[in-house]
């Protein structure tokens, strides 16, 4: 994936269009992103249709409400390095309470706090010792989603930490700079623990010697955005067992970085956003409220082979993307927001550039295809069939058994996986397929080259009903890893298998 630095150019995407809130529906015109296989992930298209009736899974997708823009977006703090300890960082899962609604306390879970977790920042090539502690009343695990670590410390279902217990593990950031995250993965309770608030960002920074000119001042022009939807009961509690949907729990309340009704004050002309779809199940298609385009620069596992200019970005649960938005031509009077496909304002911006210099960011291009001819023509050696809905979900006809190894693959040896989403009589639904312990390449979707914004490393991939996706998979570390659907309720219902890397 050799990059040629092309030139430093001012992002000149024109921020035109209506600035008045009543006319901010997204443009309906097709963009390259929205053609073909990219089009199925719309918020309103969770399944493939034909799933009518309230009891039938996600047939009724609750609309989110627009942010009223009252609370400045909180930025998760960067986790500070410990001094004089036998470990560098400490991450503790704990109970807490959060005031989502004024004057009302909601019981939540968090890492080192009441909700979500601090951002763990590792430098490329760095190795750190992390003390993980479970202060919950139930077992949990600490999964480093997207980090290529040995199975033993991956924090999958075998990595349970019992209540009150701790463990020190060594995490090595031996992979490209990327936006990753961490969350629990205890079998049968992952969905509930994430729903209650356990998620945090894990960033791999470029090594300090790098010459990247991308915005990288955390919290200033480099902003993590964790998008989630939540369903509250009449007492404004996250009573998971009452509220959950076995086909993927969807909420009507949008939270960004754990906050309802957020807004973000923008002070820099070019902003980098690290977007995580941290929902249990909801698919998001992000747009700008004025229909302007933005630049996607990274996928799950790092920078794209080439940046992609687009006006829509679809992410299924657990997928990430990094984008640049150029605010430099905006006036203080114009309004702008990140919206979803229904025009719901998820994150309004308050632009206050105050004479900041014109924006620029260094772009690059690739001098060879992301997937080589040799890689593209390799034979399929692993076949995965995703099937079902609700409690009846399977991979290759089976549900998860922690004592069964489903597949084996040799460390460092690349194989082609073909993932097929078998439709059912209801049509089927999108399953976001995630493999632990690897950043893979998407070779093709139904034989066709993936969209430019999927020509970068991935650890999760949306698979549409009836679609066959070919992946180029290499495991750099040994151990037992799981692969599963990242609709967390499907995962808890057993839509998961195990691979032993030897
Ligand atoms: Cu699924």
């Amino acid at each position: 994936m050799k990059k040629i630095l092309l030139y430093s150019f001012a992002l000149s995407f024109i921020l035109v269009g209506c600035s008045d809130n009543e006319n901010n529906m997204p443009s309906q015109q097709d963009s390259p992103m929205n053609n073909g296989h990219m089009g199925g992930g719309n918020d309103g298209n969770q399944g493939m249709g034909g799933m009518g009736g309230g009891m039938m899974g996600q047939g009724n997708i609750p609309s989110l409400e627009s942010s009223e823009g009252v609370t400045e977006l909180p930025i998760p703090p960067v986790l500070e390095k410990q001094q004089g300890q036998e470990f560098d960082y400490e991450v503790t899962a704990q109970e807490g309470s959060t005031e989502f609604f004024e004057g009302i306390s909601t019981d939540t879970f968090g890492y080192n706090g009441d909700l979500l977790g601090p951002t763990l920042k590792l430098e490329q090539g760095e190795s750190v010792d992390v003390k993980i502690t479970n202060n919950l009343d139930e077992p949990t695990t600490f999964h480093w989603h997207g980090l290529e670590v040995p199975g033993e410390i991956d924090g999958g279902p075998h990595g349970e930490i019992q209540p009150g217990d701790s463990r020190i593990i060594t995490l090595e950031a031996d992979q490209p700079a990327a936006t990753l995250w961490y969350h629990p993965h205890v079998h049968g309770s992952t969905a509930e623990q994430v729903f209650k608030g356990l998620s945090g960002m894990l960033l791999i920074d470029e090594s300090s010697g790098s010459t990247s000119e991308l915005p990288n001042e955390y919290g200033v022009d480099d902003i993590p955005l964790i998008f989630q939807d939540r369903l509250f009961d009449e007492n404004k509690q996250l009573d998971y067992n009452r509220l959950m949907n076995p086909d993927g729990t969807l909420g009507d309340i949008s939270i960004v970085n754990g906050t309802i009704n957020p807004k973000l004050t923008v002070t820099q002309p070019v902003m980098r956003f690290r977007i995580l779809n941290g929902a249990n199940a909801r698919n998001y298609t992000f747009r700008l409220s004025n229909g302007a385009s933005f630049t996607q620069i990274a996928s799950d596992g790092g920078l794209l082979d080439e940046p992609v200019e687009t006006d829509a970005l679809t992410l299924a649960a657990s997928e990430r993307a990094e984008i640049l938005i150029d605010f430099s031509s905006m006036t203080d009077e114009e309004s702008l927001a990140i919206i979803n496909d229904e025009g719901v304002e998820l994150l309004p911006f308050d632009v206050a550039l105050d004479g900041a210099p014109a924006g620029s960011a260094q772009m690059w291009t690739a001098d060879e295809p992301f997937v080589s001819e040799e890689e593209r023509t390799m034979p399929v050696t692993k076949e995965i069939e995703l099937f079902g809905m609700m409690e009846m979900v399977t991979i290759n006809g089976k549900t998860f058994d922690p004592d069964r190894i489903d597949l084996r693959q040799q460390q460092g040896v690349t194989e082609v996986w073909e993932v097929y989403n078998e439709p059912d009589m209801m049509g089927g639904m999108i399953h976001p397929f995630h493999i632990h312990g690897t950043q893979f390449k998407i070779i093709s979707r139904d034989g066709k080259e993936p969209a430019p914004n999927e020509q970068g490393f991935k650890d999760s991939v949306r698979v549409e009903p009836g679609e066959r996706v070919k992946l180029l998979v290499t495991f750099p570390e040994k151990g037992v890893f799981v692969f599963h659907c990242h609709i967390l309720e499907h995962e808890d219902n057993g839509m998961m298998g195990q691979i032993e890397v030897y």
Side-chain angles (χ1 to χ4, degrees), residues 137-173:
D137 283 337
E138 56 191 277
T140 192
T141 80
F142 297 73
H143 170 52
W144 317 99
H145 185 124
L147 196 64
E148 295 173 323
V149 293
E152 214 267 313
I153 57 166
D154 173 65
H158 293 289
E160 280 191 17
I161 308 282
Q162 297 308 312
D165 283 357
S166 289
R167 184 182 170 195
I168 295 176
I169 58 172
T170 302
L171 298 181
E172 256 187 81

Side-chain angles (χ1 to χ4, degrees), residues 1 18 29 73 78 82 85 116 118 135-136 146 170 176 192 304 325 370 382 385 408 419-420 422 425 436 456 473 492:
M1 200 177 62
C18 11
Q29 82 192 58
L73 183 81
V78 173
Q82 301 279 332
Q85 298 278 3
L116 300 176
N135 279 348
L136 302 172
T170 302
E192 177 172 8
L304 290 171
I325 300 179
F370 181 60
K382 298 263 190 290
E385 188 177 288
R408 299 182 82 234
V419 185
Y420 174 53
E422 160 96 39
M425 52 192 286
H436 288 215
V473 182
D492 279 341

